[in-house]
Amino acid sequence: MTEVMAHRDTPDSEPTTRTLLRRVLDTADPRTPRLPRSARAGSPSLHSSQRRRSLRSAQRTLLETPSSRRLSSQTKTTARQCSYGANAIGKWSHVQASRHLEEQTPRTLLKNILLTAPESSVVMPESVVKPEPAPQLVQPSRQESSRGSLELQLPELEPPITLAPGLLALGRRKQKLRLSVFQQGMDQELALSQEPRGNADASSLTSSLNLTFATPLQPQSVQRPGLARKPPSRRPVDVGAFLQDLQDTSLALAPLGLGKPAQPLVERAEEVNALDMGFPNINSSVSGEGGVKPLEDRVGEEAEERMEEGLSISEMKEATGVQRSAKAEEHEGHTEVQEAEGSQGAIEAMEPEGSSGDEDTSGGTATPELASNTPEFLQARRLHQFLEPTPPPSAADLCSEPLGPLSARLPPRARTIGPRPHKDPYKAGLSHYVKLFSFCAKMPMEKKTLEMVEKCMDKYFQHLCDDLEVFAAHAGRKTVKPEDLELLMRRQGLVTDQVSLYVLVERHLPLEYRQLLIPCAFSGNSVFPAR
Amino acid sequence: MEGETDEEQQRFSYQQRLKAAVHYTVGRLCEEVAADKEMQFSKQTIAAISEVTFRQCENFAKDLEMFARHAKRSTINTEDVKLLARRSNSLLKHITEKNEEIAQFNLERKAKKKKKLEDSREPPDAGVEESKN
């Protein structure tokens, strides 16, 4: 083991999966007696499930360890390997034998992982090139012997070396192959894929055609497209719009003259803006972070989260062009989740408040025209959002009060709301309809289509409200009444001389509306005799 | 029963005549446009346009009646027409201008009439006075 460790330390400062797996293979081999394959051939199938399970966990830890390896947990890993090695002795002997069997064995998996893993260490690739031509001929024998005698650096490099050209070519596909390999190891139910795999192994050993190794794996992933897990397509948060709104409302808060809570926020926002304007570099993010942190200390926890998001996002937005790639990703990854829970929760929680406040302020507008309400609504919403989570730093009392109900409100909200809406909030209702539409279509739909649908619906509703307003004005009224709507429906052709409005109501609306809308439908149960 | 069919036939023939009139007018207009733009109109196009115009006229009539009834009137007004044409901005503007023109014209006519009346009243009065005198 010490030998393993020693020579592992020497070649590369960054140990790779390859070396780790190599180590694993090393540990297992010295203890396994070399028995003829035929003797071992019979046994693997019996304890396959048990082996799979334990080896699966072994694999998992093995694959996990590369990440933790850099933390100088080398002893840990080796210890783990030893423990697994003890379990794996008997299995791996079978494994080696059953390499050509249909069953997918961990050994073959690990070997494939080794083969497909790219040469990330600096030393390896150089020495890879040199001994390349030599061992190709001697591979089959080498393979067997190399397993036992991999203490030396040279022989250790050989098996991976032979496949180097193919590996370098496969480097790009490393991710996908690894995943598919891993998942296949997890499933262990493929009878079909075993054969090409076994053949691939054999062929890879004998021939120098590393491509043959690659190709069988490809069709496997194709055969099971569901297994090849795509990385979760996370849309980056539309920070630009959010920041714009932030700035607009933060600047708008001052003229509104709302009092204390607004102003510290405005000051803070201006601070941040000043910071960003002053340092249009990557450094600004650092200084911005420094600026954010003292703010954090002042404010309470949940407010802190949101403010941090808001400010970090605002600073991100300002210096977007320069540092987007570097810092933004960090922040985004960090704030995405938080946003989803925090700000979204705040927004959603404030929406009913905002809307109620809005109704009070906007007064009796005859027509429910969204366009006119939106700026007020937005402001009211932002107002509430910033009022509650941003208590003035001086008054700690105020801190507790808004945070109390807010924190109570946030956790349930955080769970219900997932991704943040990427559009304005007044389009939230439209997105709901668009989702309904995509559901009713029963077919997969492109995003462009959905956007188009949303645009059309927006225009449709705008037209609708305009018409209603005009109809009401035409009748010399200021309030929209059902007659106006009936006129509209008539124009639309829904209500005709044959089909009256009441018929439509009966047909399409739930029964409760019928008694509401049709005056005589529920008026009297006793019809006969008329009294 | 026969009377009904007869009526229907009459109405139908009436409709056909109207359609023919529309078709003729459309043809003339298309000729003008063709001369203007130096493009030819095929017969099918003209027929299609005239058919569409006719149907649209029917729709307009129904809508106008609905609008008038909605405003609790029994006569169709220029307001109803404006409401009908509100979708197309240019058309609405045109109609409004025409409406104003007509209104102005009416006013002028009214003023003239009043003047005439007054004049006609005055001369007889003047005549009476003169005669008296």
Side-chain angles (χ1 to χ4, degrees):
Chain A
M1 293 310 297
T2 50
E3 292 167 339
V4 174
M5 281 182 64
H7 76 75
R8 185 169 48 87
D9 293 338
T10 43
D12 44 359
S13 54
E14 285 183 352
T16 59
T17 321
R18 153 182 319 291
T19 51
L20 181 63
L21 292 171
R22 181 60 53 194
R23 226 185 309 129
V24 168
L25 287 170
D26 296 346
T27 56
D29 284 327
R31 306 184 206 183
T32 58
R34 300 221 169 251
L35 300 174
R37 286 185 190 178
S38 56
R40 286 184 263 159
S43 37
S45 55
L46 292 173
H47 309 284
S48 53
S49 58
Q50 295 172 6
R51 250 187 300 141
R52 279 183 217 145
R53 260 177 249 136
S54 52
L55 280 167
R56 227 179 279 164
S57 54
Q59 264 181 325
R60 234 178 279 137
T61 51
L62 285 174
L63 289 171
E64 281 169 10
T65 45
S67 57
S68 59
R69 198 159 351 154
R70 301 187 182 195
L71 305 174
S72 70
S73 58
Q74 294 165 359
T75 48
K76 227 199 293 177
T77 53
T78 49
R80 220 181 281 137
Q81 285 165 25
C82 284
S83 60
Y84 283 120
N87 294 335
I89 292 168
K91 302 161 198 164
W92 285 30
S93 59
H94 297 305
V95 166
Q96 199 178 14
S98 58
R99 201 189 321 149
H100 299 287
L101 291 181
E102 295 187 1
E103 195 180 8
Q104 188 160 105
T105 57
R107 175 167 286 267
T108 58
L109 284 171
L110 291 171
K111 211 198 314 163
N112 289 328
I113 291 169
L114 272 173
L115 297 174
T116 58
E119 308 270 0
S120 57
S121 60
V122 182
V123 181
M124 301 279 267
E126 290 175 5
S127 48
V128 159
V129 183
K130 290 173 200 170
E132 194 185 19
Q136 277 178 8
L137 302 168
V138 212
Q139 266 187 39
S141 56
R142 274 284 187 188
Q143 200 70 17
E144 306 254 339
S145 59
S146 66
R147 294 198 177 283
S149 61
L150 286 170
E151 290 105 26
L152 299 173
Q153 195 170 353
L154 265 181
E156 180 193 342
L157 291 171
E158 277 166 3
I161 287 162
T162 56
L163 301 153
L167 277 171
L168 294 173
L170 289 173
R172 257 174 266 138
R173 286 175 265 164
K174 154 202 130 183
Q175 198 73 39
K176 204 178 175 187
L177 287 174
R178 251 206 211 150
L179 275 175
S180 61
V181 160
F182 181 64
Q183 283 158 12
Q184 282 158 5
M186 298 293 281
D187 285 341
Q188 296 281 348
E189 281 167 3
L190 302 170
L192 298 167
S193 56
Q194 305 312 320
E195 284 175 353
R197 243 177 180 257
N199 297 336
D201 289 343
S203 59
S204 65
L205 290 174
T206 52
S207 70
S208 59
L209 280 176
N210 306 307
L211 298 170
T212 56
F213 173 67
T215 41
L217 280 179
Q218 278 285 313
Q220 279 164 12
S221 59
V222 166
Q223 280 169 21
R224 291 286 199 97
L227 288 180
R229 283 195 207 128
K230 295 175 198 168
S233 58
R234 287 174 134 201
R235 273 180 69 178
V237 177
D238 187 9
V239 181
F242 180 67
L243 289 171
Q244 196 62 52
D245 291 338
L246 253 183
Q247 285 188 349
D248 292 342
T249 50
S250 66
L251 293 172
L253 280 174
L256 281 176
L258 289 159
K260 266 193 190 175
Q263 292 190 359
L265 171 69
V266 175
E267 287 164 4
R268 252 180 255 166
E270 285 171 4
E271 263 180 35
V272 175
N273 291 340
L275 274 175
D276 299 324
M277 301 300 252
F279 308 94
N281 288 331
I282 296 176
N283 297 327
S284 72
S285 71
V286 178
S287 58
E289 278 173 13
V292 170
K293 273 163 194 173
L295 290 172
E296 279 180 31
D297 300 334
R298 273 181 259 151
V299 187
E301 264 194 21
E302 296 193 350
E304 166 191 330
E305 275 185 7
R306 232 167 296 112
M307 280 308 297
E308 186 192 85
E309 294 167 22
L311 292 174
S312 60
I313 290 164
S314 61
E315 77 195 26
M316 267 167 54
K317 190 235 178 185
E318 285 298 318
T320 289
V322 182
Q323 34 167 321
R324 189 77 180 180
S325 55
K327 288 283 175 181
E329 284 163 3
E330 276 182 18
H331 276 281
E332 275 183 7
H334 166 63
T335 55
E336 224 181 75
V337 180
Q338 280 189 349
E339 272 184 16
E341 297 177 8
S343 69
Q344 180 52 38
I347 290 168
E348 291 292 317
M350 300 317 148
E351 250 184 354
E353 285 186 7
S355 58
S356 60
D358 193 42
E359 281 169 11
D360 297 335
T361 53
S362 58
T365 45
T367 50
E369 288 207 335
L370 291 171
S372 58
N373 288 343
T374 20
E376 297 163 2
F377 181 81
L378 260 178
Q379 279 185 7
R381 186 176 57 77
R382 296 290 174 183
L383 178 74
H384 284 104
Q385 178 187 2
F386 285 112
L387 267 180
E388 296 224 6
T390 62
S394 54
D397 307 329
L398 286 172
C399 254
S400 56
E401 282 176 16
L403 280 179
L406 195 64
S407 57
R409 216 179 303 146
L410 268 180
R413 285 287 181 183
R415 273 170 230 143
T416 49
I417 287 140
R420 186 176 178 268
H422 301 279
K423 304 204 170 31
D424 295 324
Y426 82 91
K427 279 192 185 171
L430 277 180
S431 65
H432 173 68
Y433 284 118
V434 169
K435 280 181 197 164
L436 271 178
F437 177 83
S438 66
F439 171 72
C440 292
K442 292 174 193 168
M443 278 175 70
M445 304 189 70
E446 287 181 347
K447 289 240 169 178
K448 274 190 182 178
T449 325
L450 294 176
E451 279 174 29
M452 276 282 117
V453 167
E454 184 167 333
K455 268 191 197 173
C456 291
M457 294 190 78
D458 189 27
K459 291 211 167 165
Y460 174 74
F461 282 120
Q462 291 274 350
H463 268 308
L464 194 86
C465 295
D466 289 340
D467 282 354
L468 285 173
E469 185 189 354
V470 164
F471 289 161
H474 187 244
R477 279 185 267 111
K478 285 189 183 169
T479 353
V480 179
K481 288 219 157 157
E483 292 91 40
D484 303 322
L485 197 62
E486 184 171 354
L487 185 66
L488 184 72
M489 291 186 83
R490 220 168 229 284
R491 286 218 66 187
Q492 284 180 339
L494 290 168
V495 175
T496 65
D497 298 328
Q498 281 80 35
V499 180
S500 87
L501 185 63
Y502 293 158
V503 171
L504 287 177
V505 166
E506 279 186 32
R507 249 190 237 169
H508 300 287
L509 293 181
L511 204 58
E512 292 79 23
Y513 287 123
R514 186 165 161 264
Q515 62 207 41
L516 278 175
L517 294 170
I518 303 178
C520 65
F522 199 65
S523 52
N525 286 327
S526 62
V527 177
F528 177 83
R531 287 174 191 176
Chain B
M1 296 244 307
E2 286 181 358
E4 279 181 19
T5 49
D6 208 17
E7 245 187 67
E8 272 182 38
Q9 274 180 2
Q10 266 191 357
R11 234 196 313 165
F12 187 65
S13 63
Y14 187 60
Q15 223 180 25
Q16 291 289 79
R17 275 187 292 169
L18 284 173
K19 275 193 186 175
V22 168
H23 185 83
Y24 178 69
T25 321
V26 167
R28 290 297 292 272
L29 286 168
C30 287
E31 269 181 33
E32 278 184 35
V33 173
D36 193 23
K37 304 278 179 184
E38 291 167 14
M39 280 272 291
Q40 292 300 315
F41 275 87
S42 69
K43 293 265 165 105
Q44 289 92 356
T45 320
I46 298 174
I49 295 174
S50 57
E51 180 69 28
V52 166
T53 318
F54 193 77
R55 285 199 204 168
Q56 199 67 353
C57 281
E58 286 182 8
N59 274 339
F60 287 161
K62 287 186 198 161
D63 288 345
L64 285 168
E65 191 196 335
M66 276 198 309
F67 289 152
R69 207 183 303 160
H70 181 75
K72 291 158 193 149
R73 279 187 267 109
S74 54
T75 4
I76 292 174
N77 211 357
T78 47
E79 300 300 318
D80 301 323
V81 178
K82 278 196 223 164
L83 196 64
L84 189 74
R86 80 192 176 291
R87 280 299 160 103
S88 152
N89 278 342
S90 53
L91 188 60
L92 182 64
K93 230 175 34 167
H94 184 77
I95 287 179
T96 323
E97 284 171 7
K98 281 277 168 170
N99 191 22
E100 283 172 14
E101 229 183 272
I102 292 173
Q104 226 183 2
F105 187 63
N106 280 345
L107 273 174
E108 284 177 5
R109 258 210 322 193
K110 270 191 183 171
K112 272 189 191 171
K113 261 192 178 176
K114 256 197 170 175
K115 248 189 165 181
K116 269 190 185 174
L117 268 173
E118 286 176 16
D119 290 339
S120 62
R121 269 196 226 143
E122 278 183 24
D125 290 341
V128 165
E129 280 182 17
E130 277 182 10
S131 65
K132 274 190 180 171
N133 295 341

